[in-house]
Amino acid sequence: MSEPKKSLEDLLRMLAMGHQLTESQQKDMTDYKFWKTQPVPNFTDKIETEGPIERAKRPEDIPSQPFPLLSDFEWVDMDLTSQEDLTAVHELLYENYVEDQDATFRFNYSTEFFNWALKPPGWKKEWHVGVRVKATGRLVAFISAVPITLELRTRAIPSVEINFLCIHKKLRTKRLAPVLIKEITRRVNRHDIWQALYTAGIVLPAPVATCRYTHRPINWATLHDVKFSHLPPNKTKAQMVAHYAVPLTTSTVGLRRAVPADAPAIHALFDRYQAHFDLIQTFTRAEVDHWLMGGESTVDGASKVVHTYVVETEGKITDFFSFYLLPFTVLGNPQHDQLGVAYLFYYASDTGLDADRFDAHATAALATRLTALMGDALVIAQQLGVDVFNALTSQDNNLFMNELKFGAGDGYLNFYLFNYKSFPITGGINPQTKEIDVAARSGVGVVML
Ligand SMILES: CCCCCCCCCCCCCC(=O)SCCNC(=O)CCNC(=O)[C@H](O)C(C)(C)COP(=O)(O)OP(=O)(O)OC[C@H]1O[C@@H](n2cnc3c(N)ncnc32)[C@H](O)[C@@H]1OP(=O)(O)O
């Protein structure tokens, strides 16, 4: 048997956008030349009280002019309502976002994906920050912020989510990332927002939580064809396909696609369910319409990106789940040019919801219910052409992973808060062994793209 070029672990590592450093590889705080100047906790900080790190400032104290750039470059507000700018962001990310050694896999971003990810309620053009080469107009760097309300252990924190930081491969390691980060900070501060949530595969000072990626092969044969899945010794391809076979039809009674009229019930259930976690994002009704019902990613009545399903029993919405799609383009493979990839997004169930989160009966009932619901999510994903379904060890995901054959990858996702000290939050893994911790589950409720 020839050695596979890639494994699902590689895929997950790519998705995590970086490598988890072992403790001996981890830099000292003093080596973080940029981050040591920023209002973020140190690795060794003993947090005594939760709260902002920097003294309160006022928007008028923040410079009104952008940070200076080298004279060949200029700042540009990307206009994501224009096809031209959408294409420029697409090209930059497509070519440069994924660190894939052989450049065979790329995120296949669509206009609908950007409309969903970057244009939620309250989005601002000036928070879609680009850097262009003056002479050619070519986009060479990007960073984005979208507004969110975070809640850390019931304390509401008006924040932004920072995402899609990307620098053209030719401009790497030139200290441009700190300039982009300082510029987006300035632009956000001018709107009287002083905290941010961001995630990265790499270790920076200092994560509030660390989750692990897990993956559930749906179409094992395709994953094998594109060298993502390898054939374990003593197994046949047919055995692997059978092992990961997903039923053709869903099994939960009352399961159906969510429609706009469900939004208030979904919202109420979402709020009750998320109250169990330490770090969450709260939604306004408009944000439910956007993030769960699809917002501007909706074409002909259905979102092309986010798929939300509800369970209705005797007129009552008892559960919902959602996942989003972000496929890979596969280059240079004779059999496949696309890989369907789904990511678990938000969900909630009223099963056991009135009991204490760790009550044994409630936990067992919820585990059974989530296993049924997520089993159906896999069925629907399969119908949508998804080859692999990814989930983190956040939320209550650990309750259904083993049963549904999600496998732990070697990619991790670190969650960071900017300008906020927080007690550590469990990411669903044992901090020492990094194994999935079913009993502790996770305090992370928020899902980042
Ligand atoms: C109140 C509002 C606040 C808003 C801001 C909140 C903070 C937001 C923070 C951003 C959240 C982003 C969330 C996402 O989008 S995570 C996704 C990041 N993107 C990618 O992985 C795509 C491929 N990679 C690239 O495009 C580049 O390698 C990037 C742009 C990542 C770095 O470019 P480059 O490789 O050319 O490096 P440099 O020489 O310019 O700069 C080196 C400095 O940058 C620090 N670095 C490297 N990678 C990251 C990273 N992922 N988050 C934060 N910092 C990072 C690094 O430790 C070093 O600082 P220090 O070690 O010396 O201290």
Side-chain angles (χ1 to χ4, degrees), residues 6 27 47 63 85 90 96 114 135 191 200 216 222 270 309 314 323 362 365 373 409 416 422:
K6 282 201 172 63
K27 295 200 280 187
I47 311 285
D85 281 10
H90 172 94
N96 301 283
F114 286 135
H191 286 270
R216 204 303 182 177
T222 297
F270 172 86
Y309 282 75
E314 293 170 5
F323 57 84
L373 291 169
Y416 300 97
S422 157

Side-chain angles (χ1 to χ4, degrees), residues 378-400:
L378 295 177
V379 172
I380 295 163
Q382 173 172 257
Q383 291 165 356
L384 292 166
V386 168
D387 299 303
V388 59
F389 195 106
N390 296 314
L392 286 168
T393 55
S394 58
Q395 304 180 92
D396 285 319
N397 301 354
N398 293 1
L399 292 182
F400 58 81

Side-chain angles (χ1 to χ4, degrees), residues 27 32-35 97 165 167 172-173 175-178:
K27 295 200 280 187
Y32 287 95
K33 299 268 175 293
F34 166 64
W35 280 108
Y97 203 56
L165 165 62
I167 293 175
R172 295 277 168 88
T173 65
R175 312 300 300 176
L176 183 54

Side-chain angles (χ1 to χ4, degrees), residues 17-18 27 31-36 96-99 143 160 162-168 171-178 180-181 184-186 188-189 193-205 418-419:
M17 296 295 167
K27 295 200 280 187
D31 297 330
Y32 287 95
K33 299 268 175 293
F34 166 64
W35 280 108
K36 72 178 178 192
N96 301 283
Y97 203 56
V98 169
E99 297 296 288
I143 191 167
V160 289
I162 304 290
N163 211 336
F164 304 108
L165 165 62
C166 186
I167 293 175
H168 193 284
L171 289 175
R172 295 277 168 88
T173 65
K174 298 186 191 315
R175 312 300 300 176
L176 183 54
L180 285 161
I181 294 168
I184 195 111
T185 303
R186 186 191 71 79
V188 170
N189 286 167
I193 296 178
W194 309 91
Q195 270 75 36
L197 172 71
Y198 51 103
T199 52
I202 61 164
V203 177
L204 302 165
F418 185 87
N419 191 21

Side-chain angles (χ1 to χ4, degrees), residues 126-154:
E126 70 200 81
W127 290 355
H128 297 154
V129 184
V131 172
R132 244 182 350 207
V133 178
K134 271 189 199 159
T136 60
R138 180 155 188 199
L139 184 71
V140 289
F142 184 72
I143 191 167
S144 69
V146 296
I148 57 163
T149 301
L150 274 180
E151 228 176 74
L152 179 67
R153 290 182 253 275
T154 72

Side-chain angles (χ1 to χ4, degrees), residues 24-232:
S24 59
Q25 287 172 308
Q26 190 177 300
K27 295 200 280 187
D28 278 340
M29 190 66 190
T30 46
D31 297 330
Y32 287 95
K33 299 268 175 293
F34 166 64
W35 280 108
K36 72 178 178 192
T37 68
Q38 298 299 297
V40 291
N42 197 328
F43 294 110
T44 51
D45 277 355
K46 288 266 172 298
I47 311 285
E48 270 151 24
T49 48
E50 293 192 320
I53 294 170
E54 265 182 358
R55 209 164 39 85
K57 289 188 211 155
R58 296 172 310 166
E60 52 271 35
D61 299 332
I62 301 299
S64 57
Q65 293 304 311
F67 275 83
L69 279 175
L70 288 175
S71 60
D72 290 345
F73 300 98
E74 64 186 1
W75 294 110
V76 51
D77 296 356
M78 299 308 288
D79 177 3
L80 297 188
T81 61
S82 98
Q83 199 50 50
E84 198 185 337
D85 281 10
L86 277 167
T87 305
V89 174
H90 172 94
E91 275 175 13
L92 177 75
L93 295 181
Y94 184 77
E95 305 276 346
N96 301 283
Y97 203 56
V98 169
E99 297 296 288
D100 171 19
Q101 302 269 313
D102 338 324
T104 32
F105 299 96
R106 298 184 174 184
F107 283 117
N108 186 7
Y109 296 105
S110 59
T111 301
E112 291 82 12
F113 184 85
F114 286 135
N115 281 341
W116 185 65
L118 290 172
K119 286 157 70 182
W123 69 274
K124 295 180 201 333
K125 190 174 146 196
E126 70 200 81
W127 290 355
H128 297 154
V129 184
V131 172
R132 244 182 350 207
V133 178
K134 271 189 199 159
T136 60
R138 180 155 188 199
L139 184 71
V140 289
F142 184 72
I143 191 167
S144 69
V146 296
I148 57 163
T149 301
L150 274 180
E151 228 176 74
L152 179 67
R153 290 182 253 275
T154 72
R155 194 180 305 178
I157 309 171
S159 307
V160 289
E161 257 177 26
I162 304 290
N163 211 336
F164 304 108
L165 165 62
C166 186
I167 293 175
H168 193 284
K169 285 183 177 150
K170 297 228 161 87
L171 289 175
R172 295 277 168 88
T173 65
K174 298 186 191 315
R175 312 300 300 176
L176 183 54
V179 182
L180 285 161
I181 294 168
K182 284 189 283 190
E183 177 58 12
I184 195 111
T185 303
R186 186 191 71 79
R187 292 178 186 216
V188 170
N189 286 167
R190 294 279 295 173
H191 286 270
D192 203 11
I193 296 178
W194 309 91
Q195 270 75 36
L197 172 71
Y198 51 103
T199 52
I202 61 164
V203 177
L204 302 165
V208 58
T210 302
C211 294
R212 190 164 178 178
Y213 275 99
T214 73
H215 51 82
R216 204 303 182 177
I218 293 182
N219 188 346
W220 187 87
T222 297
L223 294 170
H224 183 256
D225 289 344
V226 301
K227 312 272 194 293
F228 268 159
S229 293
H230 76 245
L231 186 63

